[in-house]
Amino acid sequence: MKKFLGATFLAGTLLFNTANATAAPAQDKETVYQVALLQSLAMGYFDGSISVKNLKTHGDTGIGTFEGLNGEMIFLDGVVYRADGNCKINVMGDRETVPFSNVTFFEKDFSVKLRDVADKAALEKILNELVDKHGRNSFYMVKIPGEFNEILIRSERAAEEPYPTLVEALKTQKEITPQNIGGTIVGLYCPDFMSSLNSVGWHFHFISADKKIGGHVLELNLKSGEAQFDKTDKFSMGLPMKENFHALNFKTDMKEDIRKAEQDSQR
């Protein structure tokens, strides 16, 4: 039995196919590929459904997490990193599995220089101005190498079965605020029509330049950097085929849980 059902958005149309979603065309550089749904992750579906090895066939840049909600994924320049429960970075092996992720083959389409960006809201305002200019109903992966006066990041230890919801699992998240640090933000922008499949707007992960610390970005103060955008107009999704995935009730409104998971600091 195939492990996924493939689903592809193209020009506003949802296309279903029966091809194995782990076998993406090697030359397809213009697709954002998503593993499962952020809504399923919010409900506590932490079972890995694709290996890191297969994820790499769909992209070289992105964000996500690992089986059991075991840390934060930073996928940068073809290497899959994990920020563990202490926000320390490990390189992940090909056999590790992934319950949720968004990846693409990054090709820079345009960029903007950044300086003295006071906080995350100010960064999103700058990025959104470029999104509005180039098309708000496209997907954008962004890489922001820069120098940060400070950045608040979090990660989490693996949950144990039976898995809790995402919000419950994050109650013990580890948060650190490194100062005067160089590194790269990897971020994804999803348009409004993705509200039932992911979170709309921006989602950022960070890895330090020395590849020692990283995590999900809760707040920041950016000294200088450059936001590099990859605009993408195709979307493909692989859905787990396990029975417990089909037991999930997607009529449940998870918007507030997702907001808390994306934005709330335990401080």
Side-chain angles (χ1 to χ4, degrees):
M1 180 180 288
K2 294 181 176 64
K3 296 174 69 176
F4 295 90
L5 286 177
T8 303
F9 279 117
L10 179 58
T13 301
L14 180 63
L15 303 175
F16 289 97
N17 63 72
T18 56
N20 189 334
T22 63
Q27 300 303 313
D28 186 359
K29 305 285 188 178
E30 294 300 328
T31 295
V32 169
Y33 178 75
Q34 180 168 301
V35 179
L37 300 85
L38 186 55
Q39 284 72 3
S40 58
L41 194 75
M43 292 177 190
Y45 191 85
F46 302 159
D47 287 354
S49 55
I50 185 173
S51 69
V52 165
K53 181 179 180 179
N54 284 332
L55 187 68
K56 290 176 180 177
T57 69
H58 296 280
D60 58 17
T61 304
I63 55 178
T65 187
F66 301 93
E67 181 164 4
L69 198 72
N70 189 9
E72 300 284 344
M73 178 193 296
I74 307 98
F75 192 4
L76 180 63
D77 300 331
V79 181
V80 176
Y81 300 96
R82 179 187 67 171
D84 70 11
N86 291 310
C87 297
K88 294 182 179 179
I89 293 295
N90 315 115
V91 176
M92 301 304 282
D94 284 346
R95 293 185 179 181
E96 299 290 339
T97 58
V98 174
F100 176 75
S101 182
N102 288 96
V103 302
T104 193
F105 289 101
F106 191 92
E107 295 181 330
K108 185 175 76 171
D109 292 315
F110 56 93
S111 63
V112 61
K113 297 288 186 181
L114 302 170
R115 182 169 293 277
D116 298 327
V117 181
D119 53 27
K120 183 167 168 276
L123 174 62
E124 291 184 0
K125 182 176 185 296
I126 294 168
L127 301 185
N128 284 338
E129 289 173 356
L130 272 295
V131 166
D132 288 344
K133 177 180 178 181
H134 290 271
R136 68 180 63 183
N137 289 327
S138 294
F139 296 85
Y140 296 85
M141 195 71 76
V142 67
K143 293 195 292 190
I144 309 175
E147 297 293 326
F148 297 82
N149 294 316
E150 64 178 12
I151 184 165
L152 172 61
I153 54 178
R154 71 110 195 277
S155 194
E156 58 281 333
R157 292 183 176 86
E160 296 182 357
E161 296 185 87
Y163 293 134
T165 65
L166 180 59
V167 168
E168 288 297 316
L170 292 177
K171 285 184 176 179
T172 58
Q173 69 190 33
K174 172 79 171 183
E175 298 179 15
I176 63 173
T177 311
Q179 298 180 336
N180 301 317
I181 187 170
T184 300
I185 286 175
V186 177
L188 173 72
Y189 171 88
C190 287
D192 289 340
F193 60 75
M194 286 288 292
S195 60
S196 62
L197 303 178
N198 205 319
S199 61
V200 301
W202 291 101
H203 185 151
F204 302 121
H205 287 188
F206 171 81
I207 187 168
S208 62
D210 60 10
K211 306 299 189 291
K212 290 184 177 180
I213 61 173
H216 174 91
V217 177
L218 293 170
E219 193 49 271
L220 59 83
N221 183 291
L222 175 66
K223 181 179 180 181
S224 63
E226 180 184 45
Q228 304 168 4
F229 291 77
D230 181 4
K231 178 182 178 181
T232 304
D233 289 317
K234 288 191 287 183
F235 173 83
S236 179
M237 181 171 62
L239 298 178
M241 292 294 291
K242 293 182 179 180
E243 289 184 10
N244 58 347
F245 177 80
H246 290 280
L248 297 175
N249 179 11
F250 286 105
K251 293 181 180 180
T252 304
D253 187 352
M254 302 303 295
K255 289 186 177 64
E256 180 59 16
D257 276 31
I258 290 172
R259 186 204 64 75
K260 289 178 179 179
E262 291 287 307
Q263 300 179 23
D264 284 5
S265 168
Q266 298 303 330
R267 299 181 185 184

